Amino acid sequence: MSHAIAAYSAILIFAIGLAYKMSTWLRHSIGGEAGQYPATTRIAAAVRGIFATLFSARILVLARVMLADVFFQAGILRRDLLSWVTHLCLFWGFAGLVLMHALGRYTTAALFSEYYPTLNPYLFMRDLFGVLVILGVAVALCRRFRRKSLRTGSIPADHYALGILAVIFLSGFLLEASKISSPSAFDDMVQTYTVQADSGEIHALEAYWVRELGLVSERVQEPIDSSVLAQGKSAHELQCLQCHASLQWAFGSHTLARVSGRLAPSLGGPSMRSVLWILHFYACLLGLATLPFSKLFHMVASPLSLLANAVMEKGTSDPANIAARQVMELDACTHCGACSERCLMAPALEIIPNLNILPSEKIVSLKPLVAGRTLTLSRVRVIQEGLHLCTNCGRCTEVCPVGINLAELWVSVREAMLEKAVPELLLLSPFSLRRGLTREALDEDRYRRPLELARETVLREGIPGLLKDTTLALTPGSSERLARFGGSLLNRGFTECYRCMACSNSCPVVRNYANPREVLGLLPHQIMHALGLKLWDLIFASPMLWNCLGCYQCQEECPQCVRVADILCALRNLAVARALERLSRDE
C-alpha cells in the first residue's frame, strides 16, 4: 500500500511540476517587446496557432519534422554520424523502456493481448532498450573526454541527471541479474506457479533451466544426467512454457548474472533483491517527480522546440507565440555544447575570460535571469558582455540539435538587457553592427538610449586623469586586455603626421555628411593633431572617434604610413578600459 501511495504521489508531483513548468512559458518573458504579452494573451495566441497549424498544410511540416527530426534525429545526422548514433540510442532506449517496461501494463498489454514480460520479444527488447541507453551514455562520455571541446565542464543539473540515471539503470540490471542467479527467486517462482510437484521434479526442472534456459544456480552441478533433463523438460512444458522464454534472451542481465554469481553470490539473496527492488523503484519515482525541474525535462521541451521552430518564424507568426517559444527554448537546451564548438567568437576566451561568450553557457546564465531572480550588477555585466561578443553569424542556430533559434534569441535578450540601463560599452565597437543594421525594428528612443548611456559612461569615467604623461604609457592599473589591444600604438606613428587631410578626405564617415565638423567634431587628421597637443577632452568627446567604422581607408591612403585606424582603435580602447576599471571599483 505504501508503495502505491509513493507511486501516485510521484505521478501527482510530476503532473503539477509539468503544469507549472509549461506555465512559465506563458508567464515569463525574455524582456523587451515580449514583456508586453501577458499570460492570457499568450494562451489565446497559442490556441489559435495550434488550431491554425493542425487545420492547414503546415500539419504536413509537423509530420515530417516529427518523423525525421524527432524520431530519427536527422538534424544530428547531418552534423555528425557518431553523435547521431549516440542520440538515437538514448532516444529509442528511453522511449522503449518507458512504453514497454514502465508503462507496459497500460501500453504494451493494451496493444498485444498475449503480452507477458518474461516472453519474447518483450524479454529481449527490455534488455535491448536498457543496453541502448547505457551504450549511448558511454559513447557520450567517451566523446566528452577524448575530444578537445569548448565545453566548460558539467553543471549541477548534469551531475544530477547522470546520477539518477546511473542509479536507475544499475539497480535495474542488478535486480534482473539477481533474479536469474538467485536460487530463492527460482524457489519463489516454483512455489507460486507449479502444481503438485515433488522435490525430485523441482530439482529436474531447475537442472533443465540451468542447461537450456540459462538459469545460474550453484545447486545444480555438471554433468547433468539426461534422464533428469528429460524429466525437467516435461515439467517445463507443463508448467512454464507458456510464460517463460529462455533467460539468455535477456542478454544484458544474463551476462551480469553470470559475472555477479561468481563475484558476489550473496547478490541473489532475498534481502538483497528487496534492497535492489526498493532502490530501483524509488529511484524511478524520484526521477519522475523531479523531471520537470531537472535537465531531463529537455526530453519534453526539445521535441516541442523542434516542432515549434518548424512552423514559426519571426515576422509571420504571432509575436505572443514567439515570446512563449523563446522561453520554452531555454528548457529545450541540452547543454550539449554543439553551438559552442561552432562559435566563431569562442577563441576570444583566450583573451577575455568570460564563459558567456560561448552560446551554451549563455543559455545557462539566462535561465535565472528570465525566471526573475535578482542578480548582482557585476553578474548582469558579465552576461551582457557575453551576449554582445557575438558575430551574429548564425552558426549556433544551424547546428543546434533541438532546433533552437539561438541567433534570434540573442537579439531579443540583448535588447531586454539594455533596457536595464546597465552601460554596455561594446555598443561603441564593431560588435554593435548587427544592432545598427536592424535599427528599424526598434523605435528611435529605444535604439539611441543605450548607445548614449555607453558614450556618457566612457566620457564621464574615462576623461578625468586618463593620460597625463608625454610618453602615453599605460598606467599600472590598466587592464591586461588593454595591453593586448595595442595601446602602445599611440607611441608610434602620429608624430609623422603633417595634417595633409588624406585620412579625412578618404573617410566614408566624413563623406557621409554635408557638414562633418558639426556632426563629428574632430575629423581624423584633427584627432592626430590634438593627440600631439594632448587635448584629451576634445579627442574623447569627439563623435568621430566613436563613429569610426574601422575600414582602414584612412590608414591605406596616408602618405606617411601613419597607422591612423590603429591609433583611433587604441584611443577607444584606452577610454573604455579606464571606464571599466572605474565601474568595477564602484561595484
Side-chain angles (χ1 to χ4, degrees), residues 258-288:
R258 288 192 171 277
V259 174
S260 63
R262 296 187 180 95
L263 299 180
S266 61
L267 184 66
S271 59
M272 181 58 69
R273 282 192 289 120
S274 298
V275 170
L276 289 172
W277 185 89
I278 292 174
L279 181 62
H280 182 69
F281 181 74
Y282 282 96
C284 291
L285 293 186
L286 178 62
L288 177 65

Side-chain angles (χ1 to χ4, degrees), residues 188-249:
D188 292 341
M189 180 195 68
V190 169
Q191 185 177 359
T192 303
Y193 295 104
T194 58
V195 180
Q196 297 178 349
D198 56 29
S199 59
E201 189 175 5
I202 292 174
H203 175 74
L205 178 63
E206 185 174 6
Y208 179 80
W209 272 50
V210 168
R211 173 63 67 84
E212 301 297 334
L213 272 71
L215 178 69
V216 179
S217 176
E218 295 181 348
R219 296 187 305 198
V220 177
Q221 302 295 326
E222 296 284 353
I224 304 174
D225 188 83
S226 59
S227 61
V228 174
L229 289 176
Q231 184 182 7
K233 181 178 180 182
S234 299
H236 172 74
E237 292 175 347
L238 179 64
Q239 307 282 355
C240 311
L241 183 60
Q242 293 183 350
C243 58
H244 269 288
S246 172
L247 299 177
Q248 293 172 336
W249 282 103

Side-chain angles (χ1 to χ4, degrees), residues 16-34:
I16 294 174
L18 181 63
Y20 171 80
K21 196 67 175 178
M22 297 181 73
S23 73
T24 62
W25 304 344
L26 305 173
R27 294 183 293 108
H28 294 167
S29 65
I30 297 297
E33 294 181 356

